[in-house]
Amino acid sequence: MFQKDIETMPRNKIEELQLERLKWLVDYCMKNIPFYNKRLTEAGVTAEKIKSLKDIEYIPYTTKADIRDTYPFGLFGQPMKKIVRIHASSGTTGKPTVVGYTKQDIENWSDCMARICVAAGANDEDIVQIAFGYGLFTGALGLHYGLEKIGATVVPTSSGNTEKQIMLMQDFQTSALVATPSYAQYIGEKAKEMGVLENINLRLGLFGSEGCTIEMRDQIEKTLGIFATDNYGMSELMGPGVSGDCHYRCGMHINEDHFLAEIIDPNTEEVLEKGSQGELVITTLTKEGIPMLRYRTKDITKINYDTCKCGRTFARMDKIKGRSDDMLKIRGVNVFPSQIESVLMSFDKIAPHYQLVVTRANYSDNLEVKVELADGSLLENYGELEKLRGNIHHNLKTVLGIDTKVSLVEHKSLERFQGKAKRIVDLRNNNG
Ligand code: DLL
C-alpha cells in the first residue's frame, strides 16, 4: 500500500476525520467563496451546525450548472496567485467546466493517484505508457503525477498515433498501459493487424474515464495479455483519483479521507440507505482550489462499506452502471448501455464494437443495436447470420425487457475511439 496507515484506518476513525474535515470545509467555503456563502447562509448552515456526518444533509447540492453559471473562476477558493494549475472538461454544449488546483491540491491528487496505482499492482519497475490525452483533460496528468510518485517510468505518449504507440511499446518493452478501455481495445486490434501482438510485453492496464463491463474488460485482457483495473473520477472532483480497483477488483476503493460519498435518489434527491444503488454525490474534503459541496455526479453506482480482502478499509463503489443522464428511456423502460454491452460480449462471432441508435417514429422510441461481425466468415452464410441476429435479439429482450432492432454490420465499419467512446446516437430530437 502507498499510505497504509490511512488506507487501513478503522471506520470510526475515517468518519471522525471526515467530520472534522467537513466542518473545516463549510467554514472554508463560507469565508472564501461568495457563491457558497450565499447558498449556505440561505440554507442556515454553519460549521457549528454540522455535529455529525448526517448533518451534511443540511447542505444544498451543487451541480454542473452552478459551475457553468460562475464560469470561469467563480467557485475558486483561492486567488489566482495560489492556483498553480487549471484543467477543464468540455461538455457537449457551451463553455467548458473549469477547475483550479493549489500546490496542496496537486500534492493530494498525486497521493490519491499513487494509492490507486499501487492498489492496481503498479510499482517502480513499471514502464508506463500514458495514452490518455494530455492537455486540459485531467486523465493524463493525474496518472502521470501518481505514477512518478511511486517511481514508475512514465512515457507520456498521449492519445492517438496508434502505430507509434505500438512501436514504442515494443521498443521500450512497456509494461503498463494507461488508456480508456476503448482505446486499449483499439490498440490491441491494431497490434494484431500489424502482426506484432506477441512482441508486446504489457502486463497491466490502468483503465478509467469511461465505463467498461467486466465482459469487455475480459476481452481486452485476453487480446493484450494484461490484468486491467478500473479507476473513477471527474474533473469537478479532482480528475482521476476519486476511487480505484485493488487487485481483487471487487469495487473501487474511494479515497475517503479526501472524498465523502453519498448515494441519492436522482429524482427525489433523497439520501438512500447504505448499500442502495443510486446517484453518487461527492463532497471534496480537502480541496482548496475549487471545493465541491455535495456535488451531483449523475453517475449511478452503489457503495459497499465492508473491509476488503486486500485489507483496505476505504469503502468500495461498484463499477459505474451508467450516468443518470446517459440512461436511455426507451418506451418508458430504463436502459443502461452497460446492460447491452454485457449481452453482446457473450457472443463469440461479433466484435466488441457496437453503436446504439435511438430514433422516434409515430410517438414510439426505437432502439437499434448495431454490432460488428468479428470477421467476414459469416457473410456468406445467410442462415447462420440470421440465427446469430435472432439469438442476440432474444438475449437483449430477456435482459432489457424491450424489443430492439439488431443490425449486424461489417467488421471495422463502426468508428474507433482514442479517448472516451461515443456509442450512443440519440436522434429522437431530430425526427420528432
Ligand atoms: O474522466 C476523469 C478520469 C480520467 C477518471 C482518467 C479516470 C481516469 P471527466 O472527463 O470530467 O473526468 O469525466 C467524468 O466520466 O462523471 C463518469 O461519467 C465518467 N467516468 C470516469 N471514470 C469512469 C469509470 C474523467 N471508471 C465522467 N467508469 C464521470 C465509468 C467513468 N465512467
Side-chain angles (χ1 to χ4, degrees), residues 132 137 139 209-211 230-231 233-235 240 299 320 323 420:
F132 277 146
F137 175 57
S209 184
E210 67 177 4
D230 193 3
N231 89 82
M234 71 196 303
S235 323
D299 292 317
I320 301 295
R323 287 181 59 77
K420 297 184 198 240

Side-chain angles (χ1 to χ4, degrees), residues 138-193:
T138 52
L141 282 163
L143 268 293
H144 185 119
Y145 275 55
L147 285 160
E148 280 191 355
K149 199 153 199 171
I150 65 169
T153 309
V154 172
V155 187
T157 47
S158 199
S159 64
N161 215 341
T162 310
E163 290 189 14
K164 189 167 172 194
Q165 300 266 6
I166 294 170
M167 180 188 83
L168 295 181
M169 234 172 239
Q170 297 172 82
D171 296 348
F172 295 176
Q173 287 293 287
T174 304
S175 60
L177 172 67
V178 171
T180 56
S182 49
Y183 191 41
Q185 180 186 40
Y186 180 51
I187 290 175
E189 186 179 76
K190 193 82 190 166
K192 204 165 167 183
E193 209 176 277

Side-chain angles (χ1 to χ4, degrees), residues 19 37 41 52 77 119-120 173 176 183 205 208 220 240 258 286 290 296 302 307 332 344 351 360 422:
L19 180 59
N37 183 299
T41 306
S52 74
Q173 287 293 287
Y183 191 41
I220 303 171
H258 295 287
T286 53
I290 176 164
R296 292 198 51 178
K302 61 175 185 293
T307 302
L344 297 179
R360 178 171 291 150
K422 291 184 196 72

Side-chain angles (χ1 to χ4, degrees), residues 64 88-90 113 132 137-140 143 178-179 206-212 230-236 238-241 243 252 297-299 319-323 326 420:
K64 201 176 188 87
S89 73
S90 47
M113 272 323 314
F132 277 146
F137 175 57
T138 52
L143 268 293
V178 171
L206 300 169
F207 297 166
S209 184
E210 67 177 4
C212 169
D230 193 3
N231 89 82
Y232 168 85
M234 71 196 303
S235 323
E236 297 91 310
M238 168 177 268
S243 66
M252 296 182 277
T297 65
K298 304 270 182 190
D299 292 317
K319 275 186 167 302
I320 301 295
K321 177 136 196 232
R323 287 181 59 77
D326 249 18
K420 297 184 198 240

